[in-house]
């Protein structure tokens, strides 16, 4: 008796849960048909903006405490006037951002419209494959974001945004930026260390670190965190890039697959599996570790390396060129006058430098968006309307003066970036035409670097390649293997580097690395012919 | 709604049930919040476990995504790590359960013997506090205590002329750090449970023992401890269900990416996290959760069966 009631009861609960889910589904599919209905209408010609709408704009960053909210009010006035729309901000904070970001997309219910994304540092493709983004048809784009359509079309970049022939992303392809990583070091110290011309190859860093170790007792040569984004990639990828011609293929989340060289990009390098270069890396890192270039407990270190460098407690910091000339160099000039911070970029000594993928910044429209057309209209303004652009990227006009001729933007003397700046983190459609030259940036060293880059850098060869991870079941275990061995190898946390490398290689093979390489090569061949 | 309809529908045959329902309605009403809680947060989402067998996509949702069978479970078994992970997870939990309960009981008994009520209250509160500190902070605290270069303990040891062991590089001693941190966090909480159980012991028994001339130790040995047996068994049965589930927050924040320590500190959760952090596969994550739940369910059933056989008074059901 009791059991029967219980069974009935459970069955009812199951039914309830199932209907709840199917309700959701039908709700969302009707939402879809609605939106496609309106799409049909709008492609008829005129864009209907009679209804005032709120466009939810999702980007990454900590919730701002500066003037962003005040600027948003002003920005929305402009947007209301120009497109009868306003935007609401939705932040994905930096803590565990990738998880939060993917979860927000997975649980969307019409509460997202414009989504800042990226194919290299955010999971744009996996999310597109799972249906998180709306397909952007040619009509939809041409009608609602005509300027964007034209600009990207003229550059021939729509192909980089396609998955199975359908467009899902709008690339930030007309914004020049260099996001190639390197090491920031103090030239004043480097000079004393005998590196008058600066650091230009990987091994020079050792000389520099040793000098810091010997001469600056309060300073750790590189007070790095032993996390993947902190130091592990900084060392292992740096060595890999500076000692081979291999080219990184984005989109796997873990750096295991690199093309052989720019002349042979569609074969995967076996650097990790065979040869001496990787062993040399392990040995050198063991030496560096023993010499104390980083903390003994580096793998658990929680220091903010950049802050430590500002305070003179770390001799170096690792990040990309943009960070160098917009942030670290200017800050160091202020906080450590005379430090004359330089940047050694990975691949400098062997000229192995690749331009970034055009979708390093991109904008997508959420699949469940209630107003995809309006979202695209707003996007077009964000990218091409100077007034909107300035509000989003520079904030209150009272805070700066703009020299019309040189296009140099100078901040007022009392301008304080921590309280007066705005942070919309609009990384999905910045546009060189609209940009101003920020007077606080270190343009001189940047332009020097840029000139070098322009000479050697090649185009990213895998712009149209979207890895199909369904056919790469080895990835999870490979990822675990890499995350287990790489930290130890990269920070020399072993008594026997050669042995550890051999162990790592065996573990990679056991986890199916060779099959995975073959599969990636096959997928590359499918994309690029051959 | 549907459930109550289903019940009323076969009213004639349910007379006994309804009668008992009526008899115990006050008790039942008091149980309603708990029943609702488990209904909505445990039973209702259960069909969703199906996601572990699908290749999840956002448009299809849980029940519309393609079915892939056992594929999501495969990576766990092909990794070659499962034995190590299970061993670590289970061993840590055993230590937490056994050591934790002994210490909690010990402190509860000590507190019970203290006459000054104010002292007991303050101690209890202070011991409870670590329970509310997030694992992230615990990780930071521990790091700042024991890191080799600048840690508080390291400096202390050095200033006394000693040499601090490199704890973060030694997989053999690091488990002790984890266990101490865990006990520090959880002892206060468990103590309260035991303390409550001790307070529930019939005072007349104690008085009778006193009159009979039993000293403090004898009272503990012959009255308090036997009276706590039921509580111990129930807590043990509850704990054993989670024996293959690790405390991700604690382990991740204490160990992080320090793979030197993995051989003795890697648990199922942290391993899965490393697998998933690069691929973000819901289905595989759910598969692991399901595996752990089923494993825990079987363990609870077995343990409960054993307890029932030995002494049916103490079994859960």
């Amino acid at each position: 008796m009791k059991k029967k009631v219980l069974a009935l009861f459970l069955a009812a609960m199951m039914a309830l849960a199932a209907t709840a889910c199917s309700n959701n589904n039908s709700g969302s599919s009707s939402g879809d048909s609605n939106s496609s209905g309106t799409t049909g209408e709008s492609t008829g010609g005129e864009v209907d903006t009679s209804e005032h709408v709120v466009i939810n704009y999702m980007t990454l960053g900590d919730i701002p405490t500066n003037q962003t909210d005040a600027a948003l009010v002003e920005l929305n006035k402009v947007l209301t006037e120009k497109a009868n729309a306003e935007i609401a901000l939705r932040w994905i904070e930096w803590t565990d951002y990738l998880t939060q970001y993917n979860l927000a997309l997975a649980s969307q219910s019409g509460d997202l419209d414009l989504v800042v994304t990226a194919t290299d540092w955010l999971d744009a493709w996996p999310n597109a494959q799972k249906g998180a983004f709306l397909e952007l048809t040619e009509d939809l784009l041409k009608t609602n974001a005509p300027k964007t359509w034209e600009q990207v079309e003229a550059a021939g970049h729509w192909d980089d945004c396609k998955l199975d022939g359908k467009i899902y992303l709008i690339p930030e392809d007309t914004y020049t930026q260099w996001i190639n990583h390197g090491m920031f070091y103090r030239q004043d110290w480097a000079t004393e260390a005998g590196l008058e011309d600066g650091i230009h190859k990987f091994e020079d860093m050792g000389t520099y670190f040793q000098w810091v170790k010997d001469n600056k007792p309060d300073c750790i040569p590189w007070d790095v965190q032993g996390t993947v984004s902190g130091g592990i990639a900084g060392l292992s990828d740096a060595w890999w890039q500076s000692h081979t011609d291999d080219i990184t293929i984005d989109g796997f989340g873990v750096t295991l697959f690199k093309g052989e060289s720019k002349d042979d990009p569609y074969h995967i390098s076996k650097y990790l599996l065979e040869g001496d270069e990787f062993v040399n890396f392990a040995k050198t890192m063991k030496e560096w570790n023993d010499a104390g270039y980083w903390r003994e407990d580096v793998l658990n270190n929680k220091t903010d390396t950049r802050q430590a460098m500002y305070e003179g407690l770390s001799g170096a910091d690792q990040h990309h060129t943009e960070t160098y000339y917009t942030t670290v160099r200017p800050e160091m000039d202020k906080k450590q006058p005379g430090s004359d911070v330089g940047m050694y970029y990975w691949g400098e000594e062997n000229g192995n430098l690749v331009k970034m993928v055009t979708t390093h910044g991109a904008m997508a429209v959420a699949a469940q968006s209630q107003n995809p057309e309006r979202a695209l209209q707003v996007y077009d303004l964000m990218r091409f309307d100077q007034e909107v652009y300035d509000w989003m990227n520079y904030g209150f006009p009272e805070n700066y003066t703009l020299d019309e001729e040189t296009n140099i933007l100078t901040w007022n003397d009392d301008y304080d970036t921590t309280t007066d700046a705005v942070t919309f983190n609009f990384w999905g459609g910045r546009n060189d035409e609209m940009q101003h030259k920020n007077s606080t940036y270190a343009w001189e060293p940047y332009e020097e670097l840029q000139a070098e880059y322009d000479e050697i850098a090649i185009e990213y060869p895998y712009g149209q390649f979207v890895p199909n991870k369904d056919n790469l079941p080895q990835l999870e275990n490979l990822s675990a293997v890499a995350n287990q061995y790489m930290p130890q190898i990269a920070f020399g946390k072993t008594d026997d580097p050669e042995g550890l490398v051999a162990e790592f290689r065996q573990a990679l093979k056991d986890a199916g690395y060779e099959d995975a390489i073959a599969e990636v090569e096959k997928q590359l061949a499918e994309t690029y012919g051959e | 709604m549907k459930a109550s309809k289903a019940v009323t529908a076969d009213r004639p045959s349910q007379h006994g049930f309804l009668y008992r329902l009526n008899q115990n309605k006050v008790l039942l009403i008091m149980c309603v919040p708990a029943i609702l809680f488990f209904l909505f947060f445990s039973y209702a989402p259960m069909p969703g476990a199906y996601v572990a067998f699908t290749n999840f996509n956002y448009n299809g949702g849980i029940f519309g995504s393609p079915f892939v069978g056992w594929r999501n479970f495969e990576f766990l078994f092909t990794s070659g790590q499962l034995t190590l992970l299970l061993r670590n997870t289970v061993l840590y939990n055993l230590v937490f359960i056994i050591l934790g309960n002994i210490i909690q009981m010990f402190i509860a008994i000590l507190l019970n013997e203290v006459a000054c009520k104010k002292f007991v209250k303050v101690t209890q509160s202070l011991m409870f506090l670590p329970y509310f500190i997030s694992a992230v902070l615990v990780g930071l605290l521990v790091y700042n205590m024991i890191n080799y270069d600048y840690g508080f303990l390291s400096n202390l040891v050095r200033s006394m002329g000693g040499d601090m062991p490199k704890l973060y590089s030694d997989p053999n001693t690091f488990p002790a750090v984890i266990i101490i941190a865990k006990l520090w966090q959880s002892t206060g909480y468990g103590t309260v449970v035991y303390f409550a159980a001790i307070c529930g012991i019939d005072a007349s028994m104690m008085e009778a023992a006193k009159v009979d001339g039993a000293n403090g130790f004898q009272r503990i040995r012959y009255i308090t401890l036997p009276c706590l047996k039921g509580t111990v068994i129930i807590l043990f049965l509850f704990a054993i269900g989670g024996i293959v589930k690790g405390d991700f927050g604690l382990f991740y924040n204490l160990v992080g990416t320090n793979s030197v320590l993995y051989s003795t500190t890697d648990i199922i959760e942290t391993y899965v996290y490393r697998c998933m952090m690069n691929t973000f596969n819901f289905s595989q994550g759910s598969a692991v959760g399901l595996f752990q739940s089923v494993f825990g369910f079987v363990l609870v059933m077995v343990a409960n069966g054993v307890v029932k056989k030995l002494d049916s008074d103490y079994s859960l059901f």
Side-chain angles (χ1 to χ4, degrees), chain B residues 104-183:
Chain B
Q104 287 158 9
M105 225 185 309
F106 180 68
I107 294 178
I109 291 172
L110 284 187
L111 284 180
N112 189 48
E113 299 298 317
V114 173
C116 174
K117 286 290 157 223
K118 227 176 210 164
F119 178 81
V120 173
K121 284 254 147 59
V122 170
T123 314
Q124 257 184 315
S125 308
L126 284 180
M127 282 178 47
F128 215 102
L129 271 183
Y131 184 75
F132 296 106
I133 297 179
S134 86
V136 179
L137 286 179
V138 175
L140 264 179
L141 275 174
V142 169
Y143 176 74
N144 283 313
M145 292 292 279
I146 65 167
N147 82 73
Y148 181 76
D149 297 304
Y150 299 101
F152 173 73
L153 281 181
S154 315
N155 282 335
L156 203 67
V157 170
R158 229 166 275 149
S159 67
M160 294 191 299
D163 191 24
M164 181 74 177
K166 296 177 176 176
L167 288 173
Y168 279 110
S169 313
D170 186 357
N172 295 320
T173 51
F174 204 77
V177 175
I178 296 182
I179 290 166
I180 291 170
K182 174 76 181 182
L183 291 179

Side-chain angles (χ1 to χ4, degrees), chain B residues 5-32:
Chain B
K5 247 188 217 163
V7 172
T8 46
D10 19 21
R11 188 198 299 261
S13 61
Q14 293 296 315
H15 185 77
F17 176 73
L18 283 180
Y19 177 75
R20 270 185 294 142
L21 207 69
N22 195 36
Q23 286 287 298
N24 298 319
K25 66 176 173 237
V26 177
L27 280 179
L28 279 171
I29 287 171
M30 292 202 302
C31 280
V32 161

Side-chain angles (χ1 to χ4, degrees), chain A residues 226 297-303, chain B residues 143 168 174 253-258 261:
Chain A
D297 296 329
V298 59
L299 293 173
N300 294 79
N301 187 19
K302 314 254 194 292
T303 313
Chain B
Y143 176 74
Y168 279 110
F174 204 77
N253 282 297
L254 285 179
V255 179
T257 48
N258 190 346
L261 303 175

Side-chain angles (χ1 to χ4, degrees), chain A residues 438-452:
Chain A
N438 193 327
S439 65
T440 56
Y441 292 176
W443 291 100
E444 219 171 284
Y446 172 65
E447 274 155 12
E448 267 175 46
L449 281 173
Q450 201 183 12
E452 274 181 54

Side-chain angles (χ1 to χ4, degrees), chain A residues 38-80:
Chain A
T38 41
T39 317
E41 276 164 42
S42 63
T43 49
E46 265 312 286
V47 177
D48 177 21
T49 58
S50 56
E51 192 197 343
H52 184 78
V53 293
V54 176
I55 300 299
N56 298 294
Y57 163 88
M58 181 165 97
T59 189
L60 289 99
D62 295 327
I63 294 171
T65 52
N66 50 26
Q67 287 192 359
T68 306
D69 284 342
L72 179 65
V73 174
E74 299 300 321
L75 170 68
N76 280 336
K77 284 182 193 161
V78 180
L79 286 173
T80 302

